[in-house]
Amino acid sequence: MTTPGNSALRAARQALGYRSQAALADALNDTARTIGLRISISTRTVRRWESDEAPWPHPEHATALEVLFKRPITDLGFTPPWTAEGVPPTKLSSVADSWAPRHFVPAAAVLPTSTAADFMAITVSHRHLYWSVPAVRLHRAVAEHAALGMDLLPRIPVSAKTLLAQAISESELLAGRIEFFDLQKPELAQSSLVMALQAAHEADDALLGSATLAHMAFAPAFSGDSARADEARDRLRAARTFAARGRACAEMMAWLDCVEAEVETRFGDTRRALELIRHAEEMYGEFDRETDPSPVWLDWFSPVRLSGFKGNTLLTAGRGREATETLEQVLADLPDESVKQRTIYLADLAAAAVLQQNPEEACGYLEQALDILGRNWYATAMDRIKAVRQTLRQWDSLPAIRSLDDRLYDWHTTVNSLVG
């Protein structure tokens, strides 16, 4: 009778839709590049992993496996060579049962309550570092930190579980933001956001749940597939329901208006989007940070960012002059450390210049954005820049356009576009 080999890995592979070992090898290599690992996993290696005696993977291979499958490799049929009696150390197993009660931890293994606060301190540091550290570098630390939190959760005293689960949720949310906006890996981001939602549920934190659900609306909105409009809108309805449950402050409600405006803009309803922007401005008029403070993690939104949403919507509506006025004020008010958003707004200003038939001015804005991207890579901004470049084709013979192409397709930018 033949043995099934490593059936756990094979089943996990098939569950993710990878029908062949070669397809899994390709997916693992893509994942490795996403998190900054320079490894090459072959079909032969995957075949060995799915054999009767699966070898313990190399540490970097193990990291890629855990990131792709969102579970520890001990749940993928691998037994660590250092484990006594062949029993793998217990870890969280899957999204479905990550938060199930555990009974395997002996009393001596229970962690001190201070662990939750220590873990949260690192989460807060990652939140701050996001605005200054290259995303590819930070992503690995954030993802591994979140995975560590999931391992710790069953061992933490009940009194500290809420704080730890909140920290895990925020870390997974940050991982998802990096994966979607910085690395352009929407499938990977979806997995992280699901885990963020699971952790928010464990913490019974409706506001973190709302923020996570709103971020889940971006993937269908950015997909370009009009058939996914209802999916995005459903996520936002859920996000608003959770926000009401958590008694969200006016600033968070204004952010949800802006997310919905982004969704409606991408699905072509700029009139509805501008109505939402106006409502967000009214909400800010009622906002009192002293009496109704925002969650500490809501650091990606402000009145300036609201105006940025407005500028983009005006641009999409074809109102180039108004968009230019709005975006110029946004750049004037934007804090110096907001380098990622600055590239977005410069690209939008370039698009507004194209609407007003001013290709030289558009090129000037795009070159400023490329200067920033040379120091702080942001994949979403590069997408905006390339989209504007497509609208400049009628002026290809101009020296300003040729100069822009020299910058747009230099070694640094070209390599980052393909691997970043």
Side-chain angles (χ1 to χ4, degrees), residues 54-74:
W56 184 251
H58 183 279
E60 291 189 331
H61 291 180
T63 299
L65 282 162
E66 291 187 338
V67 170
L68 178 63
F69 287 102
K70 284 292 180 182
R71 66 184 73 176
I73 59 170
T74 49

Side-chain angles (χ1 to χ4, degrees), residues 95-96 99 172 189-200 212 216:
V95 173
W99 313 106
E172 291 284 9
Q190 174 67 11
S191 296
S192 294
L193 293 175
V194 168
M195 295 303 289
L197 195 60
Q198 290 275 359
T212 302
M216 286 180 171

Side-chain angles (χ1 to χ4, degrees), residues 333-390:
D333 295 341
L334 195 67
D336 291 340
E337 63 269 18
S338 298
V339 290
K340 294 180 181 182
Q341 290 305 119
R342 188 171 297 276
T343 56
I344 293 289
Y345 300 143
L346 285 167
D348 283 353
L349 269 169
V354 174
L355 278 180
Q356 298 172 84
Q357 302 292 301
N358 193 335
E360 287 88 355
E361 185 174 80
C363 289
Y365 285 129
L366 293 180
E367 291 211 23
Q368 289 181 56
L370 288 169
D371 286 341
I372 298 172
L373 287 182
R375 302 185 298 272
N376 301 274
W377 184 254
Y378 190 35
T380 299
M382 179 52 69
D383 271 0
R384 295 264 182 120
I385 290 170
K386 288 187 173 180
V388 178
R389 174 61 184 91
Q390 287 295 319

Side-chain angles (χ1 to χ4, degrees), residues 66-127:
E66 291 187 338
V67 170
L68 178 63
F69 287 102
K70 284 292 180 182
R71 66 184 73 176
I73 59 170
T74 49
D75 288 345
L76 296 172
F78 297 101
T79 301
W82 58 82
T83 303
E85 300 177 357
V87 179
T90 308
K91 291 186 178 182
L92 299 181
S93 58
S94 68
V95 173
D97 65 0
S98 294
W99 313 106
R102 301 282 175 165
H103 306 287
F104 58 85
V105 183
V110 173
L111 298 166
T113 56
S114 60
T115 301
D118 293 338
F119 187 91
M120 177 60 89
I122 297 171
T123 297
V124 172
S125 295
H126 287 161
R127 183 202 309 154

Side-chain angles (χ1 to χ4, degrees), residues 45-60:
T45 300
V46 176
R47 188 180 304 119
R48 290 178 63 220
W49 288 343
E50 291 191 2
S51 68
D52 297 338
E53 297 181 1
W56 184 251
H58 183 279
E60 291 189 331

Side-chain angles (χ1 to χ4, degrees), residues 22-331:
L24 176 58
D26 290 342
L28 286 167
N29 288 326
D30 287 344
T31 299
R33 284 192 292 272
T34 296
I35 60 177
L37 295 178
R38 296 182 178 276
I39 59 176
S40 178
I41 297 172
S42 67
T43 303
R44 181 172 179 272
T45 300
V46 176
R47 188 180 304 119
R48 290 178 63 220
W49 288 343
E50 291 191 2
S51 68
D52 297 338
E53 297 181 1
W56 184 251
H58 183 279
E60 291 189 331
H61 291 180
T63 299
L65 282 162
E66 291 187 338
V67 170
L68 178 63
F69 287 102
K70 284 292 180 182
R71 66 184 73 176
I73 59 170
T74 49
D75 288 345
L76 296 172
F78 297 101
T79 301
W82 58 82
T83 303
E85 300 177 357
V87 179
T90 308
K91 291 186 178 182
L92 299 181
S93 58
S94 68
V95 173
D97 65 0
S98 294
W99 313 106
R102 301 282 175 165
H103 306 287
F104 58 85
V105 183
V110 173
L111 298 166
T113 56
S114 60
T115 301
D118 293 338
F119 187 91
M120 177 60 89
I122 297 171
T123 297
V124 172
S125 295
H126 287 161
R127 183 202 309 154
H128 296 159
L129 287 170
Y130 173 71
W131 303 107
S132 56
V133 173
V136 172
R137 298 291 185 186
L138 182 62
H139 176 258
R140 184 177 181 182
V142 173
E144 290 183 351
H145 179 63
L148 172 63
M150 288 186 250
D151 286 347
L152 298 179
L153 193 63
R155 302 170 181 261
I156 203 78
V158 172
S159 60
K161 277 187 182 291
T162 296
L163 179 61
L164 181 58
Q166 287 172 325
I168 295 168
S169 181
E170 184 183 336
S171 291
E172 291 284 9
L173 178 57
L174 178 57
R177 286 170 54 80
I178 294 172
E179 288 153 1
F180 187 83
F181 293 109
D182 297 82
L183 306 180
Q184 294 187 315
K185 300 287 185 180
E187 297 83 4
L188 201 59
Q190 174 67 11
S191 296
S192 294
L193 293 175
V194 168
M195 295 303 289
L197 195 60
Q198 290 275 359
H201 169 61
E202 177 71 13
D204 194 23
D205 191 318
L207 294 184
L208 272 170
S210 174
T212 302
L213 287 161
H215 277 85
M216 286 180 171
F218 284 121
F222 278 64
S223 70
D225 182 358
S226 59
R228 300 186 67 185
D230 286 343
E231 178 187 348
R233 290 165 180 151
D234 179 70
R235 295 288 183 272
L236 279 164
R237 281 194 295 271
R240 288 187 180 280
T241 301
F242 273 75
R245 187 177 298 145
R247 298 183 179 180
C249 67
E251 184 170 51
M252 185 161 180
M253 296 307 297
W255 174 68
L256 289 175
D257 280 338
C258 287
V259 175
E260 188 171 351
E262 175 90 4
V263 168
E264 295 302 334
T265 297
R266 288 185 172 271
F267 287 120
D269 192 348
T270 54
R271 181 177 179 179
R272 170 63 178 158
L274 288 170
E275 289 174 356
L276 287 160
I277 293 292
R278 282 193 290 273
H279 185 258
E281 291 172 333
E282 292 171 3
M283 294 298 292
Y284 251 125
E286 302 171 4
F287 179 52
D288 185 340
R289 195 176 298 276
E290 295 297 322
T291 60
D292 192 19
S294 290
V296 292
W297 40 259
L298 187 63
D299 62 348
W300 58 75
F301 192 63
S302 66
V304 175
R305 301 290 179 85
L306 190 161
S307 295
F309 278 101
K310 181 178 183 178
N312 181 256
T313 301
L314 288 167
L315 176 62
T316 305
R319 295 159 63 171
R321 182 182 58 79
E322 293 173 74
T324 297
E325 293 173 357
T326 300
L327 291 165
E328 285 177 343
Q329 188 61 52
V330 167
L331 283 179

